[in-house]
Amino acid sequence: MVTKLKTKISVTLLLVAVAILAVGVIGFGLSPIAPLMLVIGLIIVVARCFGVSWQASQKALLSGVSSGIAPLFLFLLIGSLIALWLATGVIPTMIWVGFKLLSPQLFLPTALLSTAIVGTLIGSAFTTLSTVGVALMGVGTLMGFNPALIAGTVLSGAIFGDKSSPLSDSTNLASAISETDLFAHIKNLMWTTLPALILSLVMTIILGFGHQTSGDATAKISRLLPLLAPTWWAIVPLGLLVITAWQKIPAIPALMINILVSSIAFLTQHSLMTWADLLVNGFKTSSHNATLMALMNRGGMSAMMPTVMMIMLALAFGGLLSGLGILSRVMAPVVVYLKTQRAMIAANFLVGEQYLATILPGQLFKDSFKRVGLSPLALGRTIEDSGTVMNYLVPWGVAGAFAAQTLGVSVLDFAPFTFFALFSPVMSLLSAVTGIGLKQLEK
């Protein structure tokens, strides 16, 4: 049996850990990797001083990492898929279409809605970001928009789609933890997600209004368009992505199928050695056009390794917080004194890591929600509005690290522009205060 740390030391450790991460990442601008390593070592040593064995800490750490094996493997597949889609003309075609169809004034709202639609269709924010998101980043950057603004916009749409799709892993998890019907859960989410999306759309319209592409940007686009070489073949992998999602094929085999089909297309014109190098090291264009090189030279499994390292450490950190009882010790006294529905909703925002913020509060607050007369649907919506959404704004979180790596913009830069993630918890709190859309427990 694992020795649990007492409440005082648990609170102290959690505050010190957050302080180290915040000072390192925000104060000094460090990558979260080194601060996370420091925090993990500190927790293990302090826990041993208070009676927790080395073996227990190691077990908790490895348990946290093992819970994230699927997304870690998924990131390697996404790195390979990005490289293949660049090499076979899928992403260049999407960029070309974007330049032809989108005007600068409508780019931001169109980017928001298109990623929201794609995210809903395929049920994965990660896949949406690594496909449509990458293409929109290229289009918007050349139009002269702030890359952080573009990243926040496409991320907002992708998160909405992920939350609103019955194919989404996070939405299914929240529904299962709260013990509610999946479609009833999604319907109840609309009380907060739709207002947050509408407000995000208004913000993108305001920020995009009056934007004019500069003469230099126009010249870059005119030189770039002939080099993109759009292809009708792009319809095949894009359609395959939607088909596998609607057939409810899990993310890993769905991506493997797409990688296999894209690889066959690539191998019709290239050697096996070139294909192997592409999957590992990413795509490198033969063009010397600086703009095209900036857009196209990316992808590959090796490009995802910094994110994989960061996520492994973040999962290990989460495993220690959960396995050694640190989070439960911190939250348990809070739960006892929560007497109102508003306080119960607000307290759920204390946890911000995607997996922990879905599973742990769902289990911890389940009885308390019923005690204050709230339906399990209210619990499911709250953990979605907090854990699922806010993790994209945490530099050392799984989702935030992935978005930063894929879009090429740091979390601290795109966070102020990720309007949906900012508005969603506000809408949840407003629902708690006003009672509008707040599902009561049936008597």
Side-chain angles (χ1 to χ4, degrees), residues 382-396:
T382 304
I383 59 181
E384 284 260 56
D385 287 338
S386 53
T388 303
V389 171
M390 297 305 292
N391 188 241
Y392 286 92
L393 306 185
V394 180
W396 51 87

Side-chain angles (χ1 to χ4, degrees), residues 109 112-113 160 190-206 419-420 423 427:
L112 175 70
L113 293 177
F160 171 83
M190 294 301 108
W191 285 102
T192 53
T193 53
L194 279 180
L197 181 68
I198 292 170
L199 288 173
S200 301
L201 183 62
V202 171
M203 291 298 297
T204 57
I205 292 172
I206 293 172
F419 300 119
F420 182 82
F423 288 136
M427 293 299 105

Side-chain angles (χ1 to χ4, degrees), residues 29 106 109 165 230 253 314 366 378 394 402:
L106 296 178
S165 175
K366 188 177 295 182
V394 180
F402 175 80

Side-chain angles (χ1 to χ4, degrees), residues 139-160:
V139 175
T141 302
L142 285 179
M143 284 184 175
F145 285 97
N146 178 0
L149 174 58
I150 308 167
T153 299
V154 300
L155 185 53
S156 292
I159 299 172
F160 171 83

